[in-house]
């Protein structure tokens, strides 16, 4: 009996399994919540429409045009002259990507058309305009 107690001893290790489980659960929660948080931080006042198509976020490159004419590609502010380079990098060789332009109501149409022209020259599969659904 004495031998069993001596060989067994006190467990000096920390069990990491519960810690890993909690970490993975938190990771899943953050992965699910991130698209909602990012979408709520759009800085443009989108026009409204009653017929809205939904697109998956996987193949979408978002281009925002603010009231002041600033252009943001995937939340990265760039000048109009750098738009073609940025879209070239994001499109890469995958031509199945969609360019979604989210322009403020007060932005001139010509600026939106310029973004569309640039995207079409680079071979974007689909072009879209972001709107807010009205009920």
């Amino acid at each position: 009996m004495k031998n069993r107690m001596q060989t067994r001893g006190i467990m000096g290790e920390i069990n990491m399994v519960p810690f890993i489980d909690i970490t993975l659960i938190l990771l899943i929660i953050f992965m699910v919540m991130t698209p909602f948080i990012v979408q709520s931080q759009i800085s443009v006042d989108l026009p409204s429409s009653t017929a809205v198509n939904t697109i998956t976020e996987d193949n979408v490159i978002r281009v925002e045009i603010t009231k002041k004419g600033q252009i943001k590609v995937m939340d990265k502010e760039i000048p109009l002259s750098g738009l073609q380079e940025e879209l070239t990098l994001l499109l890469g060789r995958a031509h199945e990507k969609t360019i979604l332009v989210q322009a403020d109501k007060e932005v001139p149409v010509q600026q939106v058309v310029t973004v569309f022209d640039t995207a079409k020259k680079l071979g974007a599969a689909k072009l879209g305009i972001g709107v807010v659904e009205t009920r």
Side-chain angles (χ1 to χ4, degrees):
M1 178 99 123
K2 191 173 183 182
N3 269 346
R4 271 181 50 196
M5 292 299 280
Q6 287 176 347
T7 57
R8 194 168 176 195
I10 298 174
M11 186 173 156
E13 297 175 4
I14 297 175
N15 190 1
M16 294 296 290
V17 173
F19 176 72
I20 293 170
D21 289 345
I22 290 172
T23 305
L24 290 176
I25 289 171
L26 287 174
L27 178 66
I28 291 169
I29 289 171
F30 287 129
M31 287 172 53
V32 169
M33 291 303 295
T34 299
F36 298 114
I37 293 170
V38 170
Q39 187 65 27
S40 68
Q41 294 180 353
I42 294 177
S43 59
V44 295
D45 186 19
L46 296 174
S48 57
S49 173
T50 54
V52 177
N53 289 339
T54 57
I55 341 174
T56 59
E57 291 288 325
D58 298 339
N59 293 329
V60 175
I61 298 172
R62 283 184 295 106
V63 178
E64 296 177 22
I65 306 174
T66 63
K67 275 186 201 178
K68 298 176 183 174
Q70 299 168 328
I71 297 177
K72 295 180 181 178
V73 178
M74 301 298 284
D75 298 325
K76 178 182 173 187
E77 192 170 329
I78 58 164
L80 183 61
S81 59
L83 178 65
Q84 185 169 353
E85 295 170 12
E86 189 67 27
L87 288 179
T88 302
L89 291 173
L90 290 173
L91 282 171
R93 295 183 182 173
H95 295 290
E96 292 299 315
K97 299 235 178 189
T98 301
I99 305 291
L100 180 65
V101 178
Q102 296 176 322
D104 196 278
K105 290 179 192 178
E106 299 173 15
V107 171
V109 175
Q110 182 58 47
Q111 201 164 9
V112 176
V113 171
T114 304
V115 173
F116 278 163
D117 281 345
T118 305
K120 205 58 176 168
K121 284 179 196 173
L122 297 174
K126 296 178 184 176
L127 301 173
I129 296 178
V131 294
V132 176
E133 184 176 10
T134 56
R135 294 173 188 221

